[in-house]
Amino acid sequence: LGQDLRAELPPPCPIWFSGVLRYRNISDLFRDGKKKSVLGGMEAGGLDHEINEANEKAMLQQLTLVSNEKHRFKLPIKHATISNVLKVAFEEDDTSRREIRFDCSSKTLEHIIAYMNKCEGKETVKIASPLKNNSGKELKEIWFRICGQEHGWHADFMWNIAKNRKELAKLTKAADQYEITGLLLLCVSIYATFLKFCPLDDIDRILDPKITDGNLLPHREDLKGTDFREQHNQQKNSTTDVSDDSKREK
């Protein structure tokens, strides 16, 4: 620790080390709590400033995401860091910034990239819980009220995707797998909206995976006219009667 730092520096000396040269040994350097002056200061173009500039340039570089069908989509790395999985990959390995395969279909990946480009690397979606219906009559109106005026784009984005129930399920899985928090929140919330605010008669078909355009399909023949609460009570009473008969036999 007592060695002269000047003797340890090979020429040429980097510009950002000019602040360090004012100290004869490491002990003196760390006794001075002014980190900005040690590294030349961010205002003066010190090390921190150079690193930040390098990171900003790296974040603006293009990343290629590849779908299962091997279709390639490009977007800025900064936008992709909204995924916690990708963010960790970038921090641990710079080579991962070139091309990454996503375990999803091209259509699902298109939705993910659209969301990433809209958010630009920052999650802004906030949905209050529990979900409440503020005088909305139609499911779409209720959904838009839940998202709020400030998230109109997100509400419309999710509503159009959710018209195809299978695609909604695929997007939910991908958002969970790649830890895209805001997108996963939207997926879960629109599921909850369907189940909580749809008419009771539609509860058995609101999430039918065969729905592709948002229009509910006809009731299944085996469920027509079924009152689920009445059916549940009948099953409960039947179980109780069987139990009583067994006791009598004993």
Side-chain angles (χ1 to χ4, degrees), residues 222-233:
D222 57 335
L223 292 176
K224 278 187 177 180
T226 301
D227 187 327
F228 293 101
R229 288 168 294 186
E230 182 180 346
Q231 185 182 38
H232 174 73
N233 291 333

Side-chain angles (χ1 to χ4, degrees), residues 240-250:
T240 303
D241 293 340
V242 172
S243 178
D244 292 340
D245 292 340
S246 299
K247 289 180 180 178
R248 292 193 192 97
E249 291 177 359
K250 291 181 180 179

Side-chain angles (χ1 to χ4, degrees), residues 67-86:
S67 69
N68 286 338
E69 297 89 344
K70 297 184 179 180
H71 293 159
R72 286 169 166 74
F73 304 87
K74 291 188 176 182
L75 76 163
I77 291 176
K78 178 182 177 181
H79 296 183
T81 56
I82 203 168
S83 161
N84 289 331
V85 172
L86 295 185

Side-chain angles (χ1 to χ4, degrees), residues 3-48:
Q3 294 180 354
D4 193 334
L5 288 179
R6 293 187 182 87
E8 300 295 328
L9 293 175
C13 175
I15 298 174
W16 52 265
F17 235 102
S18 59
V20 178
L21 291 179
R22 298 187 294 105
Y23 298 87
R24 294 191 59 83
N25 55 57
I26 297 177
S27 300
D28 292 341
L29 186 151
F30 283 102
R31 263 194 230 99
D32 191 336
K34 299 178 181 179
K35 294 182 179 180
K36 289 185 178 180
S37 62
V38 170
L39 297 178
M42 292 181 66
E43 302 85 358
L47 175 60
D48 289 347

Side-chain angles (χ1 to χ4, degrees), residues 91-122:
E91 291 174 350
E92 294 181 350
D93 182 11
D94 286 342
T95 60
S96 66
R97 295 183 176 184
R98 299 174 185 174
E99 188 172 284
I100 295 178
R101 180 184 173 186
F102 253 52
D103 185 19
C104 64
S105 67
S106 298
K107 189 172 183 180
T108 300
L109 186 52
E110 283 182 11
H111 295 320
I112 291 174
I113 291 177
Y115 178 82
M116 288 178 168
N117 285 334
K118 173 63 179 178
C119 296
E120 297 183 348
K122 294 182 180 179

Side-chain angles (χ1 to χ4, degrees), residues 49-245:
H49 182 64
E50 290 185 6
I51 291 176
N52 289 338
E53 279 191 344
N55 286 338
E56 287 177 4
K57 290 180 180 179
M59 289 294 104
L60 293 177
Q61 293 178 3
Q62 292 291 303
L63 168 72
T64 301
L65 299 182
V66 186
S67 69
N68 286 338
E69 297 89 344
K70 297 184 179 180
H71 293 159
R72 286 169 166 74
F73 304 87
K74 291 188 176 182
L75 76 163
I77 291 176
K78 178 182 177 181
H79 296 183
T81 56
I82 203 168
S83 161
N84 289 331
V85 172
L86 295 185
K87 185 176 181 180
V88 171
F90 299 147
E91 291 174 350
E92 294 181 350
D93 182 11
D94 286 342
T95 60
S96 66
R97 295 183 176 184
R98 299 174 185 174
E99 188 172 284
I100 295 178
R101 180 184 173 186
F102 253 52
D103 185 19
C104 64
S105 67
S106 298
K107 189 172 183 180
T108 300
L109 186 52
E110 283 182 11
H111 295 320
I112 291 174
I113 291 177
Y115 178 82
M116 288 178 168
N117 285 334
K118 173 63 179 178
C119 296
E120 297 183 348
K122 294 182 180 179
E123 289 285 16
T124 58
V125 177
K126 292 182 180 179
I127 296 180
S129 179
L131 304 182
K132 295 181 179 180
N133 177 14
N134 298 322
S135 71
K137 296 182 179 180
E138 301 293 331
L139 276 177
K140 183 176 182 179
E141 182 182 355
I142 294 172
W143 170 244
F144 273 71
R145 286 179 179 272
I146 287 173
C147 291
Q149 293 183 351
E150 66 274 21
H151 299 311
W153 183 91
H154 299 84
D156 187 62
F157 170 73
M158 283 307 307
W159 184 261
N160 289 327
I161 293 173
K163 289 179 179 179
N164 187 315
R165 301 296 195 261
K166 279 189 177 180
E167 190 56 40
L168 175 60
K170 292 177 183 178
L171 183 63
T172 305
K173 178 184 177 182
D176 179 48
Q177 181 177 351
Y178 293 99
E179 298 182 20
I180 310 173
T181 309
L183 183 56
L184 182 59
L185 174 61
L186 287 169
C187 291
V188 172
S189 297
I190 200 166
Y191 270 122
T193 300
F194 286 151
L195 293 172
K196 187 172 182 178
F197 301 114
C198 76
L200 183 60
D201 291 341
D202 294 336
I203 195 70
D204 67 301
R205 57 181 183 150
I206 191 69
L207 297 181
D208 190 340
K210 294 181 180 179
I211 296 174
T212 58
D213 57 2
N215 295 319
L216 301 187
L217 301 177
H219 283 284
R220 285 162 38 193
E221 290 296 328
D222 57 335
L223 292 176
K224 278 187 177 180
T226 301
D227 187 327
F228 293 101
R229 288 168 294 186
E230 182 180 346
Q231 185 182 38
H232 174 73
N233 291 333
Q234 288 176 351
Q235 291 176 348
K236 185 177 180 181
N237 293 334
S238 176
T239 303
T240 303
D241 293 340
V242 172
S243 178
D244 292 340
D245 292 340

